[in-house]
Amino acid sequence: MRMKALTSVFFAVMFLASKLPAQARGPSTPEERAMAVKLAHLLETDPLAPKAKDARQWFTVWLISVPDISVSLCSDLLGPVPRSAKKYESELAVQTIYSGAAFMIENPERAGDQIAVYEAGVEGALKAYVAIRAKQSKFSWPGLDDLIEKQRTGTLHDAVVTAAEKCASR
């Protein structure tokens, strides 16, 4: 249920940003794209780093402002959020966007493949989840544990396709 609230907040921010006066912003620069990829991978491996909040803020503002990179949020990708996961819910949900954007930058020929972008986003969120669990052993999100098992058994792609279909049907 909370993931839906996060989705609403994210879309509200995106909507409000679209209403701001245009600043003649051109496409992302190679330096910005390199920074985005670096930050996405940093947030996957150390989502609780002291500068992680600043990195997320930069990434979000950058994604809102650049016209050439756009990642859709699909709240069904990570599944239901248990009460025990509320503390890190937003970090993991937005990681799907950051990792998806990094995938688009690193694989421009596949940037239009929504399923591949979503799958990269989920994989990034799973890396972040594992990193959080390494530091916060009591933190648990059974749905993500299930996705890690699907990743291990080679069925993650199918789970992403199913989640993407739910998002598309709304």
Side-chain angles (χ1 to χ4, degrees):
M1 186 66 149
R2 211 155 121 63
M3 186 71 83
K4 291 187 187 305
L6 177 64
T7 303
S8 298
V9 169
F10 180 79
F11 284 121
V13 168
M14 296 295 275
F15 174 76
L16 291 174
S18 72
K19 299 300 178 191
L20 295 174
Q23 295 183 354
R25 168 68 209 227
S28 60
T29 65
E31 295 80 15
E32 289 172 323
R33 290 189 300 273
M35 176 62 78
V37 168
K38 178 181 174 183
L39 291 177
H41 295 313
L42 170 72
L43 291 168
E44 289 171 352
T45 58
D46 196 2
L48 303 180
K51 299 275 184 179
K53 183 177 179 181
D54 293 338
R56 285 185 192 93
Q57 183 176 0
W58 179 89
F59 213 134
T60 301
V61 170
W62 179 74
L63 277 174
I64 290 168
S65 67
V66 296
D68 58 325
I69 299 174
S70 178
V71 183
S72 298
L73 177 65
C74 174
S75 61
D76 290 305
L77 289 174
L78 302 182
V81 182
R83 287 181 184 249
S84 63
K86 287 182 182 182
K87 185 172 183 180
Y88 299 114
E89 172 189 358
S90 64
E91 289 87 346
L92 293 168
V94 296
Q95 189 62 48
T96 64
I97 296 168
Y98 303 153
S99 295
F103 175 84
M104 293 171 74
I105 294 165
E106 294 174 313
N107 303 279
E109 72 286 353
R110 296 189 66 201
D113 181 347
Q114 187 64 57
I115 298 300
V117 172
Y118 279 158
E119 191 166 352
V122 170
E123 289 174 345
L126 293 178
K127 287 177 189 173
Y129 173 65
V130 169
I132 291 170
R133 293 229 25 205
K135 291 184 178 184
Q136 303 288 328
S137 61
K138 292 182 180 180
F139 176 64
S140 177
W141 187 329
L144 296 187
D145 292 329
D146 183 50
L147 288 174
I148 288 171
E149 180 61 19
K150 288 178 180 179
Q151 185 180 42
R152 189 187 70 71
T153 61
T155 59
L156 181 62
H157 178 80
D158 296 336
V160 170
V161 168
T162 300
E165 288 170 353
K166 288 179 186 176
C167 286
S169 69
R170 289 194 194 122

